[in-house]
Amino acid sequence: MDEVIFLEVLEGDSVQARHRLERFPASVGRGYSNDVILDDPKVSAEHLRIERREDGALVLRDVGSHNGTFRVEPWAPLAELELAPDTRVAVGDTVLRFRSRNHRVEDTVVGPAPSAPRTRVFERPRTFSLALLALLGGSLLEGYLTNYGRTDWGELTVALVAPLALVLLWAGGWSVASRIARKQFHYRAHAAIGALVLLCGLVMPMLLTLVGFSLGVGGGMPLVHHAAFLGLLGWGLYWHLRYVTRWEPGRLMRVLAAVTLGFGAVSRADELLGNESFSESLDFPRTLLPPAFRLAGARPVDDFLEDTAGLQEEVDALAKEE
Amino acid sequence: MFAILLAAVLAQAPVAPVEPGPPPDAGVPEAAPPVPLSALPPATHELFKRIEGRVAQVRIIERRSGTRSSIGSAFFVSAAGHAVTNYHVVSDVVIHPEDYSAELVLRGTSEPVPVRLIDVDVVHDLAVIQMGTPVTDFFALEDREPPQGARLFAMGNPRDLGTTIVEGTYNGLIQDALYERLHFSGAINPGMSGGPTLTGEGRVVGVNVATMGNQVGFLVPVRYARELLARALQAKETDAQALLATVRTQLLDNQQRLTERLLEAPPPKHSLGSYHVPGRWSPFLKCWGDTPHDPEVPYTVTNYQCSSEEDIYVSSNHRTGVVAFLHQHATSQKLGALRFSALYSALFAQDPDAVEATRQDVTNYRCKSEFVDVGGLPVRAALCLRAYRKFPGLYDVVLRAATLNAGTSGVDTSLTLAGFTADNGRRIARRYLEALSWTK
């Protein structure tokens, strides 16, 4: 083995600490007299020693440790071991690996040309505050407009507090994930994304309902709502995950497209399979808005009744199904 | 709605000519001067004894369990063993002939006799069944109306307690009824269905069919039983398919009759706020209205509804032959247009109670929704249809409409037609829509 070797303290597959050993004998243990100190309670104060033998080979020797020293592959207790590159040895709960100076490392990963780090719109402090304000305002307005009874202050308070609490908790969850995976919380970015998703979730159905009413769309709006919801879900997850994983945007997008489409298909599986349970409900759009919102023209009564001829065929076909 | 009696047995005396003089009576010893028979207390026990043999219990047998699933009553009307009962007593045999059969238990015997279903009148809730063996004692059906107030006797087997005779009074035809019924003021109870109601002389006046409780009972006029019997006596072999076809034809004829009655004249215009809406279109419709007064809410909603309040029993879970509509006029001085539209949408989202039916009877609804111009009044309208599975060509039709001419007032309306052809449904819906207008 080469003159200089490295002792690596492993944690799983990754290296927790790396010590350069230049002089021999080198001692390893928990005590402060050692060359390499291991903070492992199961390691003895004087645990092992690495010496150069007369023939020049490096030898690891247990110096009477309490819990012993073990070779990892194959697993065996040892008193003395000749060190070879990549030898792994277990002491207490710690695994040590020895490497020589000429250990070959893998080729450098060729990355895209680095560019100056760009502050995304979510990371700007103003984005978060504007999104949150818009969300709270929208929620309050929605609570006011959809309540046709007496003003219910309790309900309006909930309309304010609920989205606020939801955004903060939601961002908390994601930022913990970011911290674990990328060592940084990105709390404000996650909160801004969460607020924008909720805002869209509030505004989008209103807009779709408005469009559906204005144009007099007779059916099919539930499908559009579903598609819009899936799109929003995919968008939100994409940006949250950009702050959690290090995946390439392309890969992330492919994965999320598969996930959201799969989720969408599963949640509509009944319909896609053509299973319709018996129901006495009437399925047609119920939204009524002030007359000024109506863009589609009104048809004469005769035309409307003529249009219903198709219904008869539809239900006749249903009656024959069973 | 009336409760239908699932078992009724009633026996009646033979049709004796009206004897002059006082009837033999235990309770009135000094009854010397001759008084009209109907004014005298008849000897109920004698009547009962005379006719008890003509009444039998009908049992509907579910084939797999081999035991009765429901009971009713019937009375003999021919020497060939024909007996009249209610359609609703034997409806399981009509609709599911593969699962159910009928049998009769005669008075004084315990052995049931299998019977065949010969013919039905689904609209008037009557059926004729026939026993294989001839009978010697039976009622001759004649159509003579007793005076109002006449004492009548209903016979039947209420709740399977045994043959019972119940006294009551005759109160003529129910006024403005869609399906003709006699009003009998006496206790008719579940189990007496299909039994006869008689005069003191033992003449059949009607067939027990339903009760509203509190001594309000309903009878099918004997005239319909006579007509059905005449048809049944000519009938050849009937199979299950033919019976279903008969029911279908009767339902089709009935909806045609109803449609013609409705289309005789456009519906009267009833004023509701600043709108005109279809009012009491035909005498058979009963109309009610109300405005809940709640000072706390910033709007008022006035209801106006009309309904035939009667239906035709097709099977235990399926009713038809219904006409009903409901208008809800909403208006507000305090709400803005957007908040009012939330209220209006909520009203429009509530549908009237559906006519009872199950998956075996009908399909799901399919709807068509559009903006419609009703004589200059813009309306959001939806027409929904569901088809009857066993009776092709018949549908339940629901029309929903809401006026869209004003920001803070409007009329939301719904029309329910059960058991109509699609064409008749559309014809009625058109007349109905055309009766909507704005008066300002």
Side-chain angles (χ1 to χ4, degrees), chain A residues 178-195:
Chain A
S178 283
R179 167 73 183 153
I180 291 169
R182 294 184 63 172
K183 307 225 169 2
Q184 215 186 327
F185 279 111
H186 293 298
Y187 186 83
R188 194 160 55 205
H190 282 304
I193 296 168

PDB file of all heavy atoms in Angstrom, chain A residues 178-195:
ATOM      1  N   SER A 178     -37.919  20.191   1.437  1.00  0.00           N
ATOM      2  CA  SER A 178     -36.786  20.858   0.786  1.00  0.00           C
ATOM      3  C   SER A 178     -35.544  20.791   1.669  1.00  0.00           C
ATOM      4  O   SER A 178     -34.440  20.520   1.201  1.00  0.00           O
ATOM      5  CB  SER A 178     -37.108  22.334   0.545  1.00  0.00           C
ATOM      6  OG  SER A 178     -37.956  22.475  -0.543  1.00  0.00           O
ATOM      7  N   ARG A 179     -35.764  21.034   2.945  1.00  0.00           N
ATOM      8  CA  ARG A 179     -34.648  21.053   3.894  1.00  0.00           C
ATOM      9  C   ARG A 179     -33.972  19.680   3.928  1.00  0.00           C
ATOM     10  O   ARG A 179     -32.747  19.582   3.936  1.00  0.00           O
ATOM     11  CB  ARG A 179     -35.192  21.430   5.272  1.00  0.00           C
ATOM     12  CG  ARG A 179     -34.274  21.205   6.420  1.00  0.00           C
ATOM     13  CD  ARG A 179     -33.158  22.226   6.446  1.00  0.00           C
ATOM     14  NE  ARG A 179     -32.239  21.935   7.541  1.00  0.00           N
ATOM     15  CZ  ARG A 179     -30.969  22.265   7.556  1.00  0.00           C
ATOM     16  NH1 ARG A 179     -30.454  22.937   6.542  1.00  0.00           N
ATOM     17  NH2 ARG A 179     -30.217  21.967   8.575  1.00  0.00           N
ATOM     18  N   ILE A 180     -34.784  18.633   3.936  1.00  0.00           N
ATOM     19  CA  ILE A 180     -34.231  17.284   4.001  1.00  0.00           C
ATOM     20  C   ILE A 180     -33.468  16.985   2.716  1.00  0.00           C
ATOM     21  O   ILE A 180     -32.343  16.486   2.746  1.00  0.00           O
ATOM     22  CB  ILE A 180     -35.350  16.253   4.222  1.00  0.00           C
ATOM     23  CG1 ILE A 180     -35.908  16.419   5.639  1.00  0.00           C
ATOM     24  CG2 ILE A 180     -34.841  14.832   4.023  1.00  0.00           C
ATOM     25  CD1 ILE A 180     -37.166  15.645   5.886  1.00  0.00           C
ATOM     26  N   ALA A 181     -34.093  17.322   1.569  1.00  0.00           N
ATOM     27  CA  ALA A 181     -33.482  16.910   0.316  1.00  0.00           C
ATOM     28  C   ALA A 181     -32.407  17.868  -0.153  1.00  0.00           C
ATOM     29  O   ALA A 181     -31.440  17.452  -0.780  1.00  0.00           O
ATOM     30  CB  ALA A 181     -34.562  16.774  -0.750  1.00  0.00           C
ATOM     31  N   ARG A 182     -32.585  19.163   0.125  1.00  0.00           N
ATOM     32  CA  ARG A 182     -31.639  20.121  -0.453  1.00  0.00           C
ATOM     33  C   ARG A 182     -31.048  21.065   0.573  1.00  0.00           C
ATOM     34  O   ARG A 182     -30.411  22.054   0.216  1.00  0.00           O
ATOM     35  CB  ARG A 182     -32.315  20.910  -1.571  1.00  0.00           C
ATOM     36  CG  ARG A 182     -32.644  19.997  -2.719  1.00  0.00           C
ATOM     37  CD  ARG A 182     -33.220  20.730  -3.895  1.00  0.00           C
ATOM     38  NE  ARG A 182     -32.278  21.677  -4.463  1.00  0.00           N
ATOM     39  CZ  ARG A 182     -32.515  22.328  -5.604  1.00  0.00           C
ATOM     40  NH1 ARG A 182     -33.643  22.116  -6.243  1.00  0.00           N
ATOM     41  NH2 ARG A 182     -31.638  23.165  -6.082  1.00  0.00           N
ATOM     42  N   LYS A 183     -31.282  20.763   1.829  1.00  0.00           N
ATOM     43  CA  LYS A 183     -30.639  21.480   2.925  1.00  0.00           C
ATOM     44  C   LYS A 183     -31.039  22.949   3.009  1.00  0.00           C
ATOM     45  O   LYS A 183     -30.355  23.753   3.629  1.00  0.00           O
ATOM     46  CB  LYS A 183     -29.115  21.390   2.809  1.00  0.00           C
ATOM     47  CG  LYS A 183     -28.602  19.963   2.672  1.00  0.00           C
ATOM     48  CD  LYS A 183     -27.433  19.751   3.556  1.00  0.00           C
ATOM     49  CE  LYS A 183     -26.994  18.309   3.720  1.00  0.00           C
ATOM     50  NZ  LYS A 183     -27.682  17.273   3.008  1.00  0.00           N
ATOM     51  N   GLN A 184     -32.137  23.300   2.357  1.00  0.00           N
ATOM     52  CA  GLN A 184     -32.571  24.690   2.424  1.00  0.00           C
ATOM     53  C   GLN A 184     -34.092  24.689   2.474  1.00  0.00           C
ATOM     54  O   GLN A 184     -34.731  23.913   1.783  1.00  0.00           O
ATOM     55  CB  GLN A 184     -32.082  25.436   1.190  1.00  0.00           C
ATOM     56  CG  GLN A 184     -31.715  26.858   1.508  1.00  0.00           C
ATOM     57  CD  GLN A 184     -31.359  27.625   0.245  1.00  0.00           C
ATOM     58  OE1 GLN A 184     -30.818  27.048  -0.692  1.00  0.00           O
ATOM     59  NE2 GLN A 184     -31.656  28.903   0.229  1.00  0.00           N
ATOM     60  N   PHE A 185     -34.681  25.579   3.285  1.00  0.00           N
ATOM     61  CA  PHE A 185     -36.133  25.503   3.491  1.00  0.00           C
ATOM     62  C   PHE A 185     -36.948  26.039   2.302  1.00  0.00           C
ATOM     63  O   PHE A 185     -37.959  25.493   1.954  1.00  0.00           O
ATOM     64  CB  PHE A 185     -36.521  26.287   4.759  1.00  0.00           C
ATOM     65  CG  PHE A 185     -36.281  25.505   6.004  1.00  0.00           C
ATOM     66  CD1 PHE A 185     -35.283  25.868   6.899  1.00  0.00           C
ATOM     67  CD2 PHE A 185     -37.059  24.386   6.291  1.00  0.00           C
ATOM     68  CE1 PHE A 185     -35.066  25.131   8.053  1.00  0.00           C
ATOM     69  CE2 PHE A 185     -36.844  23.659   7.445  1.00  0.00           C
ATOM     70  CZ  PHE A 185     -35.846  24.034   8.328  1.00  0.00           C
ATOM     71  N   HIS A 186     -36.538  27.121   1.700  1.00  0.00           N
ATOM     72  CA  HIS A 186     -37.314  27.769   0.613  1.00  0.00           C
ATOM     73  C   HIS A 186     -38.746  28.028   1.063  1.00  0.00           C
ATOM     74  O   HIS A 186     -39.684  27.843   0.294  1.00  0.00           O
ATOM     75  CB  HIS A 186     -37.352  26.885  -0.648  1.00  0.00           C
ATOM     76  CG  HIS A 186     -36.018  26.729  -1.297  1.00  0.00           C
ATOM     77  ND1 HIS A 186     -35.315  27.787  -1.813  1.00  0.00           N
ATOM     78  CD2 HIS A 186     -35.262  25.629  -1.529  1.00  0.00           C
ATOM     79  CE1 HIS A 186     -34.175  27.351  -2.329  1.00  0.00           C
ATOM     80  NE2 HIS A 186     -34.114  26.044  -2.163  1.00  0.00           N
ATOM     81  N   TYR A 187     -38.915  28.440   2.319  1.00  0.00           N
ATOM     82  CA  TYR A 187     -40.283  28.555   2.856  1.00  0.00           C
ATOM     83  C   TYR A 187     -41.116  29.562   2.067  1.00  0.00           C
ATOM     84  O   TYR A 187     -42.252  29.301   1.705  1.00  0.00           O
ATOM     85  CB  TYR A 187     -40.239  28.968   4.338  1.00  0.00           C
ATOM     86  CG  TYR A 187     -41.596  28.963   4.964  1.00  0.00           C
ATOM     87  CD1 TYR A 187     -42.161  27.788   5.450  1.00  0.00           C
ATOM     88  CD2 TYR A 187     -42.360  30.128   5.028  1.00  0.00           C
ATOM     89  CE1 TYR A 187     -43.423  27.769   5.985  1.00  0.00           C
ATOM     90  CE2 TYR A 187     -43.626  30.115   5.572  1.00  0.00           C
ATOM     91  CZ  TYR A 187     -44.144  28.933   6.052  1.00  0.00           C
ATOM     92  OH  TYR A 187     -45.407  28.907   6.587  1.00  0.00           O
ATOM     93  N   ARG A 188     -40.516  30.702   1.745  1.00  0.00           N
ATOM     94  CA  ARG A 188     -41.303  31.743   1.080  1.00  0.00           C
ATOM     95  C   ARG A 188     -41.721  31.302  -0.322  1.00  0.00           C
ATOM     96  O   ARG A 188     -42.838  31.558  -0.756  1.00  0.00           O
ATOM     97  CB  ARG A 188     -40.518  33.039   1.010  1.00  0.00           C
ATOM     98  CG  ARG A 188     -41.406  34.189   0.661  1.00  0.00           C
ATOM     99  CD  ARG A 188     -40.795  35.494   1.038  1.00  0.00           C
ATOM    100  NE  ARG A 188     -39.472  35.626   0.437  1.00  0.00           N
ATOM    101  CZ  ARG A 188     -38.517  36.401   0.934  1.00  0.00           C
ATOM    102  NH1 ARG A 188     -38.741  37.088   2.030  1.00  0.00           N
ATOM    103  NH2 ARG A 188     -37.359  36.476   0.355  1.00  0.00           N
ATOM    104  N   ALA A 189     -40.803  30.621  -1.004  1.00  0.00           N
ATOM    105  CA  ALA A 189     -41.152  30.153  -2.351  1.00  0.00           C
ATOM    106  C   ALA A 189     -42.311  29.165  -2.282  1.00  0.00           C
ATOM    107  O   ALA A 189     -43.276  29.264  -3.040  1.00  0.00           O
ATOM    108  CB  ALA A 189     -39.942  29.497  -2.997  1.00  0.00           C
ATOM    109  N   HIS A 190     -42.229  28.223  -1.341  1.00  0.00           N
ATOM    110  CA  HIS A 190     -43.315  27.247  -1.218  1.00  0.00           C
ATOM    111  C   HIS A 190     -44.627  27.930  -0.844  1.00  0.00           C
ATOM    112  O   HIS A 190     -45.694  27.574  -1.356  1.00  0.00           O
ATOM    113  CB  HIS A 190     -42.959  26.194  -0.170  1.00  0.00           C
ATOM    114  CG  HIS A 190     -41.993  25.164  -0.662  1.00  0.00           C
ATOM    115  ND1 HIS A 190     -42.240  24.404  -1.774  1.00  0.00           N
ATOM    116  CD2 HIS A 190     -40.781  24.768  -0.201  1.00  0.00           C
ATOM    117  CE1 HIS A 190     -41.221  23.576  -1.979  1.00  0.00           C
ATOM    118  NE2 HIS A 190     -40.307  23.790  -1.034  1.00  0.00           N
ATOM    119  N   ALA A 191     -44.545  28.924   0.047  1.00  0.00           N
ATOM    120  CA  ALA A 191     -45.764  29.614   0.459  1.00  0.00           C
ATOM    121  C   ALA A 191     -46.360  30.369  -0.721  1.00  0.00           C
ATOM    122  O   ALA A 191     -47.574  30.396  -0.911  1.00  0.00           O
ATOM    123  CB  ALA A 191     -45.466  30.568   1.607  1.00  0.00           C
ATOM    124  N   ALA A 192     -45.485  30.988  -1.541  1.00  0.00           N
ATOM    125  CA  ALA A 192     -45.992  31.729  -2.697  1.00  0.00           C
ATOM    126  C   ALA A 192     -46.665  30.768  -3.679  1.00  0.00           C
ATOM    127  O   ALA A 192     -47.744  31.051  -4.211  1.00  0.00           O
ATOM    128  CB  ALA A 192     -44.852  32.469  -3.381  1.00  0.00           C
ATOM    129  N   ILE A 193     -46.030  29.610  -3.909  1.00  0.00           N
ATOM    130  CA  ILE A 193     -46.633  28.631  -4.830  1.00  0.00           C
ATOM    131  C   ILE A 193     -47.977  28.168  -4.281  1.00  0.00           C
ATOM    132  O   ILE A 193     -48.978  28.124  -4.990  1.00  0.00           O
ATOM    133  CB  ILE A 193     -45.682  27.432  -5.029  1.00  0.00           C
ATOM    134  CG1 ILE A 193     -44.396  27.893  -5.706  1.00  0.00           C
ATOM    135  CG2 ILE A 193     -46.364  26.345  -5.853  1.00  0.00           C
ATOM    136  CD1 ILE A 193     -43.293  26.862  -5.677  1.00  0.00           C
ATOM    137  N   GLY A 194     -47.995  27.853  -2.985  1.00  0.00           N
ATOM    138  CA  GLY A 194     -49.241  27.384  -2.371  1.00  0.00           C
ATOM    139  C   GLY A 194     -50.343  28.426  -2.490  1.00  0.00           C
ATOM    140  O   GLY A 194     -51.477  28.106  -2.854  1.00  0.00           O
ATOM    141  N   ALA A 195     -50.013  29.688  -2.235  1.00  0.00           N
ATOM    142  CA  ALA A 195     -51.026  30.748  -2.306  1.00  0.00           C
ATOM    143  C   ALA A 195     -51.533  30.894  -3.735  1.00  0.00           C
ATOM    144  O   ALA A 195     -52.735  31.060  -3.976  1.00  0.00           O
ATOM    145  CB  ALA A 195     -50.438  32.064  -1.810  1.00  0.00           C
TER     146      ALA A 195
END
